[in-house]
Amino acid sequence: MNAHDTADRSRLTRRRFGLLLAAACAGSARAHGTRAGELAIDHPYATPTPAGLATGAVYFRKIENRGRQADRLLGASTPRAERVEVHLSTMDGNVMRMRAIEALELPAGASVRLRHGEAGAHLMLFGLSAPLRDGERFPLTLRFEHAGTVEVTVWVQRPRKSAGGHEH
Ligand SMILES: [Cu+2]
């Protein structure tokens, strides 16, 4: 099987799972998700941003790698921002610190959380064209080393409880 076959098949699989997920989510306005090959991308979301702030962050409930091969999230892009970086935040005492990383490792058979208010990874948006408003949805294209590129829809929503935000 050549690379093309794999890509075509993964596109087909993605479409099929996309339909299944759309059907599964029809009854629920609270969560959404996308399949990309062996990856299940669960609930991409962003928190609203105040006027005048040109940066925002995108989180995920989790990205699950159901395959036997490790993958990596290499980057992302969106029409809503000039630039997207993969960030890793760590707790330093009581202060959450973050830095850009080259890629986020997605080990085989593992789930990686990328949630607001938790130490871990998120995507940072730079040069927002306009503030992210509560209830808004926007497209984001993710780039994975093996699963390729996949477009997801980001839901802008207020965090359920005010877990500590993060500073740059
Ligand atoms: Cu960040």
Side-chain angles (χ1 to χ4, degrees), residues 3 40 45 48 50-51 62 71 75 78 85-86 91 103 118 122 130-131 143:
Y45 66 101
K62 62 180 189 295
D71 207 337
T78 171
E85 287 182 358
V86 184
M91 287 306 288
E118 291 184 3
H122 57 269
R143 197 158 43 85

Side-chain angles (χ1 to χ4, degrees), residues 15-161:
R15 203 169 301 142
R16 209 174 306 138
F17 273 102
L19 288 172
L20 283 176
L21 280 165
C25 289
S28 157
R30 295 196 151 268
H32 67 302
T34 304
R35 268 300 286 258
E38 299 291 344
L39 302 179
I41 302 157
D42 188 11
H43 199 56
Y45 66 101
T47 49
T49 59
L53 188 70
T55 57
V58 171
Y59 307 93
F60 300 81
R61 190 146 63 192
K62 62 180 189 295
I63 299 178
E64 188 183 350
N65 183 353
R66 298 175 179 169
R68 292 182 175 183
Q69 178 185 37
D71 207 337
R72 305 200 308 156
L73 174 59
L74 302 174
S77 63
T78 171
R80 284 295 267 109
E82 282 168 17
R83 190 163 53 88
V84 182
E85 287 182 358
V86 184
H87 274 201
L88 192 67
S89 40
T90 47
M91 287 306 288
D92 179 7
N94 282 329
V95 184
M96 188 98 79
R97 298 196 188 282
M98 69 175 69
R99 63 190 166 85
I101 55 173
E102 197 188 316
L104 174 67
E105 304 294 328
L106 301 166
S111 251
V112 177
R113 293 159 68 104
L114 300 91
R115 300 188 188 192
H116 174 263
E118 291 184 3
H122 57 269
L123 297 177
M124 210 73 212
L125 310 181
F126 293 95
L128 286 178
S129 49
L132 302 177
R133 292 181 320 270
D134 192 18
E136 182 190 346
R137 294 179 184 186
F138 64 89
L140 176 78
T141 301
L142 301 169
R143 197 158 43 85
F144 296 99
E145 190 170 72
H146 296 295
T149 59
V150 59
E151 187 179 295
V152 301
T153 302
V154 179
W155 290 12
V156 182
Q157 58 185 69
R158 288 181 204 292
R160 214 164 288 171
K161 50 178 186 251

